[in-house]
Amino acid sequence: MSRTPILAGNWKMHYTVAESVAFVKELEPAIAGYDAVERVVCPTFVALASVAEALRGSAVKVGAQDVHWEAKGAYTSEIAAGMLVGLADYAIIGHSECRKYLGDTDERVNLKIKAALGAGLKPIFAVGETKDEYEAKHTADVVTRQVTVGLGGVSAEQMASLVIAYEPVWAIGTGLNADSQYANTTIGLIRQTVRGLYGDGVADALRIQYGGSVKPDNMAEYMAQPEIDGALVGGASLKVPDFLALVAAAAQVKG
Ligand code: PGA
């Protein structure tokens, strides 16, 4: 089964509204020709509307970096999934920084995934083990639990709109990118978990990205792995030439 590779840039807390718009105006024409790769930029919430406007008519998609699990209510500072409709196609959910700094648990991630799907957003559902879990060789248990709890109550039909990002926490922003075979093996295990939950059709169609210190010089190596369907990229997505190089590598190897 061939799966369309997906490259998503997670800008985290970088770039003002004006900087985000200037960035996509430069990026869009540079990556416009690479239709074999799905391309997504995930700016901060405040830049979503302006970035969506700047990308109107482009194949480059927009993603939010989180959603709240409730549709509305007394949740000062939060953003409901429904508020993102028309501004974003995707929403990153369960990023390790949200788990670490904002208190996201597997159960909360599950509620957020269901809220996003309910609003018509496509979740980029992030999972991955911490350094301690990695060193204790608990990766398989951790990602299996995260995937199983995170997908609770998600239907097979909804799975067609969902992407999983396997991001070992120790590899994020550290320059210590995971060995590509290790990433491939873990992603294969995640796919097996999904196979157990939903069967072959869903598992074989599901796109699973690798994330964690992906750079232009290691992108091709990840893309050469059969289980890896793209990348969720932080630091290297903040420079137009690097973003372009990532897309070009994905197109060359998997396009
Ligand atoms: P990084 O971040 O590419 O800077 O390691 C990846 C991520 O947090 O999604």
Side-chain angles (χ1 to χ4, degrees):
M1 147 115 25
S2 90
R3 298 179 288 260
T4 304
I6 175 167
L7 189 283
N10 172 14
W11 291 354
K12 310 189 180 185
M13 199 171 71
H14 293 285
Y15 292 156
T16 63
V17 176
E19 287 165 346
S20 301
V21 169
F23 188 98
V24 291
K25 285 195 170 155
E26 196 186 335
L27 177 72
E28 203 283 331
I31 61 172
Y34 293 94
D35 288 332
V37 179
E38 192 170 5
R39 293 138 290 168
V40 187
V41 291
C42 304
T44 60
F45 282 121
V46 288
L48 280 174
S50 306
V51 166
E53 182 58 34
L55 290 174
R56 202 166 299 282
S58 167
V60 177
K61 310 247 173 66
V62 179
Q65 296 177 15
D66 197 7
V67 302
H68 195 265
W69 62 88
E70 291 289 352
K72 62 181 175 186
Y75 297 97
T76 301
S77 88
E78 294 285 0
I79 310 280
M83 296 170 182
L84 300 169
V85 174
L87 304 180
D89 307 285
Y90 284 91
I92 301 169
I93 296 176
H95 191 280
S96 67
E97 286 149 19
C98 299
R99 293 177 190 260
K100 180 172 174 190
Y101 301 122
L102 303 177
D104 272 3
T105 59
D106 292 333
E107 289 73 20
R108 201 184 266 192
V109 167
N110 172 245
L111 293 175
K112 290 183 172 192
I113 287 173
K114 289 189 286 196
L117 288 165
L121 296 171
K122 300 173 177 176
I124 298 177
F125 167 27
V127 299
E129 80 283 6
T130 63
K131 187 167 184 283
D132 286 350
E133 290 162 343
Y134 172 69
E135 284 169 356
K137 301 202 180 335
H138 288 158
T139 300
D141 290 348
V142 170
V143 297
T144 301
R145 184 200 74 228
Q146 289 174 329
V147 167
T148 306
V149 177
L151 295 178
V154 174
S155 72
E157 203 186 350
Q158 288 176 317
M159 285 298 287
S161 324
L162 184 138
V163 174
I164 292 181
Y166 167 57
E167 300 202 300
V169 180
W170 49 270
I172 295 176
T174 59
L176 301 170
N177 59 299
D179 175 79
S180 61
Q181 280 177 26
Y182 173 81
N184 189 67
T185 302
T186 310
I187 288 176
L189 186 111
I190 291 170
R191 200 179 300 287
Q192 280 308 112
T193 304
V194 171
R195 197 177 301 283
L197 295 169
Y198 295 96
D200 290 341
V202 168
D204 291 337
L206 175 69
R207 293 181 296 172
I208 311 181
Q209 302 168 303
Y210 167 75
S213 299
V214 174
K215 306 287 176 208
D217 65 0
N218 59 32
M219 180 70 180
E221 199 183 315
Y222 290 110
M223 291 305 95
Q225 296 289 343
E227 294 287 354
I228 305 181
D229 303 313
L232 179 57
V233 183
S237 75
L238 291 166
K239 292 190 192 127
V240 171
D242 286 2
F243 202 121
L244 167 61
L246 297 170
V247 172
Q252 198 187 359
V253 182
K254 285 247 150 89

